[in-house]
Amino acid sequence: MTTRRLCPPAPGPLEAYAQRLDPLFSSLAQRRGLRNYLQGLLLPRDRNKTLTGLAGAEPISGAQHREVQRLQWFLSESAWDHEQINNRRVQLLCQDPATTPHDAGALVIDDTGDRKDGTATAHVARQYLGSVGKIDNGIVAVTSLWADERCYWPIHAVPYTPASRLAGGERHPGFRTKPQLAVELVQAAQQAGVRFRAVVADCAYGDNPGFTEALGAAGVPYVLALKPRKGTWAPAEAAHTPTEAAGDLGWQGSSKPGRWRRVTRRFRDGHTEIWWAADAALGGWGPDRRLRLVVATTDPGSLPGHSTWYLLTNLPRPTNRRAQQTDLADIVRLYGLRNWVEQGYKQVKGELGWADFQVRSDRAIRRHWTLVCCAFSFCWQAWFAEHPAQPAAPNPQAAAPTAARGAPATGHRGGTGRGSVVAGGATPGAGLAWAVERAATLLAGVVASAPATAAATAA
């Protein structure tokens, strides 16, 4: 049996991470390509992380450089399975006590889009792109992410193919809507052994009956947002929208809250906020029905759009009054974890080059996304190696106060952790050589950013 040739090691702690993926690569060139690609993604950004950017070559004239061509071959032509790599990455996260998923976490489903020119690239078409808030030419990925109060990491990402790219449109046998792809991602997460308290998603999925029915039929608990004005059939004198249902909960002030219950939200930077939550009745939804409508807000009197959530859940309501308040707090906590997917998008796009690929095939795009997820996961490994902490408690009520014990806050809320925080501790004037040895410093923007205090806009 031929002995494997030794691969030039990656800098610092990246080598140990790459070695855990090596058995899935059959050749020295593939193992070398893995290290070079991950190192390029992890180095501090000073330009888009295209193949020339990853190899450190000139943007245009360097396209034919030997190292650029090696990365091009590794990404587009070399024979390796990105699904096996991703499965191994998720397995490593599940085995690490610092990142292992538990029953108090959330499985966050979402989609994200990015501009791309032309139509030669797979999956690219004119469609709604959430990152720009309008219809434009681009590519959309449906993603799943595991999150608790302490850490969060991507599980799977699949491209959405618009009907306009398929012969026969929506009647094409391969066509899948975003909610249909999302159901498949939930199933894939379960098969990978990812544990969670509930599936969490915004109103694009909560307003889709096919998605909720599929999760309900599979016995999967969920907490999904609804549009405030989502109408439903009801008697003329009854509420017809979630907003109207919230108005029937009897709020007369904090001293006479009616059916509203006080909920304390705890954030990763250590501060707390007082919210109010209640079970509302709307159509066939109610506290004693199979599906419940839970309203959570900072002000039940005015129901501000930027800090009011209308949530559809199939979690059963406890019979005990004290347990009911705890249950409402848990539902608000779970949906609050959805903010991490938005934070994750900022980091993989702003720091790790998620949308910077310049390849056209479906396989190469999926490979690029897989390698970005590997880089993101390595960041958590590097962080916890230098900042050891106890694993999060599986009990939701015990887990909530630990929000401030994870990676330290950056001194501000939101953002991608750029500026003095990322540069903290770095040697002045240091170049990029061996920069991955300072993973905990250079990658602080990926793992150490605090979340926003509340949703910037209504779900």
Side-chain angles (χ1 to χ4, degrees):
M1 186 174 181
T2 305
T3 303
R4 275 198 163 196
R5 296 169 60 189
L6 294 177
C7 181
L14 182 59
E15 174 60 22
Y17 185 79
Q19 287 179 1
R20 305 178 81 175
L21 302 176
D22 277 347
L24 301 177
F25 294 96
S26 59
S27 69
L28 171 62
Q30 291 174 359
R31 301 195 300 276
R32 182 174 180 177
L34 169 69
R35 286 159 173 77
N36 291 344
Y37 208 98
L38 291 180
Q39 183 176 348
L41 293 173
L42 290 164
L43 288 175
R45 172 188 286 273
D46 60 354
R47 59 191 255 212
N48 284 351
K49 296 190 176 182
T50 59
L51 290 173
T52 54
L54 296 180
E58 293 293 330
I60 299 176
S61 60
Q64 301 304 315
H65 190 279
R66 178 179 62 183
E67 295 303 321
V68 177
Q69 290 297 302
R70 282 179 175 174
L71 289 182
Q72 173 73 47
W73 177 266
F74 170 72
L75 191 63
S76 300
E77 305 296 337
S78 184
W80 55 277
D81 190 336
H82 66 275
E83 292 185 353
Q84 290 184 358
I85 299 299
N86 194 67
N87 290 341
R88 177 60 175 157
R89 176 186 67 84
V90 173
Q91 183 183 45
L92 292 174
L93 289 165
C94 291
Q95 292 173 349
D96 189 337
T99 55
T100 185
H102 52 79
D103 293 334
L107 177 63
V108 184
I109 297 295
D110 201 68
D111 57 77
T112 183
D114 299 284
R115 284 193 177 107
K116 287 292 176 182
D117 294 331
T119 57
T121 303
H123 314 292
V124 170
R126 285 193 61 81
Q127 54 188 316
Y128 180 79
L129 306 178
S131 60
V132 298
K134 65 179 183 179
I135 295 177
D136 205 341
N137 209 60
I139 185 171
V140 171
V142 181
T143 67
S144 59
L145 172 138
W146 188 87
D148 68 0
E149 288 78 4
R150 202 166 64 100
C151 71
Y152 53 100
W153 40 267
I155 306 174
H156 298 102
V158 294
Y160 164 69
T161 306
S164 60
R165 292 293 304 254
L166 302 171
E170 295 184 3
R171 289 179 290 183
H172 188 280
F175 176 72
R176 296 288 187 278
T177 65
K178 295 173 190 175
Q180 287 173 334
L181 291 173
V183 171
E184 295 174 2
L185 292 187
V186 173
Q187 296 170 345
Q190 290 178 312
Q191 292 171 1
V194 176
R195 298 159 56 195
F196 53 89
R197 169 69 169 149
V199 170
V200 175
D202 63 16
C203 58
Y205 298 89
D207 287 334
N208 187 280
F211 182 69
T212 57
E213 290 172 4
L215 294 186
V220 177
Y222 56 77
V223 178
L224 309 174
L226 298 171
K227 292 179 181 177
R229 301 293 178 182
K230 178 180 174 62
T232 186
W233 290 101
E237 67 279 4
H240 292 80
T241 67
T243 303
E244 293 177 1
D248 294 338
L249 293 172
W251 175 263
Q252 299 181 41
S254 58
S255 60
K256 295 183 178 180
R259 282 179 279 170
W260 294 94
R261 297 291 177 264
R262 188 188 301 267
V263 172
T264 301
R265 294 190 63 200
R266 295 175 172 85
F267 293 83
R268 185 168 176 167
D269 61 1
H271 85 283
T272 61
E273 287 184 3
I274 298 300
W275 280 49
W276 296 85
D279 271 285
L282 179 63
W285 305 332
D288 300 321
R289 302 293 185 91
R290 183 177 61 87
L291 298 180
R292 299 163 56 194
L293 172 62
V294 173
V295 185
T297 182
T298 54
D299 184 358
S302 61
L303 298 175
H306 69 282
S307 58
T308 300
W309 300 336
Y310 303 93
L311 307 175
L312 180 67
T313 180
N314 60 352
L315 293 172
R317 184 173 185 248
T319 56
N320 180 274
R321 182 178 177 85
R322 178 171 295 182
Q324 289 173 3
Q325 180 156 355
T326 301
D327 171 70
L328 289 173
D330 190 40
I331 291 173
V332 174
R333 178 191 70 86
L334 285 168
Y335 191 75
L337 295 176
R338 203 202 75 83
N339 282 341
W340 287 124
V341 75
E342 305 295 346
Q343 185 72 11
Y345 289 151
K346 291 180 183 179
Q347 293 161 344
V348 298
K349 293 181 181 183
E351 304 290 345
L352 300 178
W354 172 274
D356 292 347
F357 62 85
Q358 289 183 330
V359 290
R360 293 183 172 180
S361 70
D362 169 80
R363 181 174 70 169
I365 293 170
R366 293 174 188 253
R367 285 178 168 184
H368 172 76
W369 288 345
T370 297
L371 293 170
V372 169
C373 290
C374 287
F376 190 93
S377 300
F378 164 74
C379 292
W380 277 118
Q381 176 183 295
W383 175 266
F384 282 122
E386 296 196 11
H387 303 80
Q390 294 297 320
N395 184 297
Q397 298 309 308
T402 69
R405 293 209 307 261
T410 61
H412 67 279
R413 302 184 189 117
T416 58
R418 299 173 185 240
S420 61
V421 176
V422 177
T427 304
L432 300 184
W434 305 100
V436 181
E437 290 184 345
R438 299 302 300 251
T441 297
L442 295 172
L443 305 178
V446 178
V447 298
S449 294
T453 58
T457 58

